[in-house]
Amino acid sequence: MQGPFLADLASAGFPRESIDTVLCTHLHVDHVGWNTMLVDGKWVPTFPRARYLMGRVEFAHWRDEQGRDDMAAVLADSVAPIAAAGLADLVETDHRICDELSLVPTIGHTPGHVSVRINSQGEEALITGDFIHHPCQIARPEWSSTADTDPREAHRTRERMLGELCDRPVLVIGTHFAGATAGHIVRDGDAYRLAV
Ligand SMILES: [Zn+2]
């Protein structure tokens, strides 16, 4: 799978060296998989000139976790090589990256999970990460995905975030939404829905 991805980047005019920042909302396999690539049997950073931003809490949690062989494998091939190369910056859950980009703590899916707030030219958007996996959780915030580390905390986070986003001009960009990827949160009875 490395080939098509890197070919896409190259054809879009983005040599790997041109990427200066990589942000991991959390450290699940599908959110760190492109951090590295396999070259001659060794996992190396895909973007050799980038700073890789990872949550300090998130990193420490999975580093110290015992009994999750799947996560140990993910850290070994997609996170440890970044740290070993000196490219990892461990940041807080409310870290401000630049004037336009900042992190929003959305804990529960994982212990250090963040979403990404974008403010640009008077408009605002939020990239969810995985605090919501599917728009059905906008109507039923109490529904957790099996990947949520702490389902109750994840539920509280969805209620808080949906309440904050509701009926506001914030484009919500779902990381895993199929069909319409983005829309606005609007009130719908006791809960909410995604207006696209
Ligand atoms: Zn996840």
Side-chain angles (χ1 to χ4, degrees), residues 18-94:
S18 73
I19 303 299
D20 60 17
T21 307
V22 174
L23 168 66
C24 301
T25 58
H26 60 302
L27 298 183
H28 279 159
V29 60
D30 53 329
H31 296 260
V32 297
W34 295 116
N35 281 0
T36 56
M37 58 185 196
L38 196 57
V39 177
D40 297 331
K42 188 166 181 273
W43 291 101
V44 300
T46 303
F47 306 105
R49 294 183 189 278
R51 301 305 303 175
Y52 285 71
L53 309 187
M54 304 177 189
R56 183 180 58 79
V57 171
E58 180 79 2
F59 182 87
H61 172 80
W62 294 116
R63 180 198 59 203
D64 298 341
E65 173 73 44
Q66 304 293 324
R68 279 287 302 266
D69 291 347
D70 58 332
M71 286 301 299
V74 169
L75 260 60
D77 64 30
S78 299
V79 176
I82 302 301
L87 300 182
D89 287 338
L90 300 182
V91 299
E92 302 304 320
T93 53
D94 59 354

Side-chain angles (χ1 to χ4, degrees), residues 7 12 35 59 91 111 126 137-138 150 171 190:
N35 281 0
F59 182 87
V91 299
L126 183 87
Q137 293 173 295
I138 297 169
D150 183 338
L171 185 67
D190 290 339

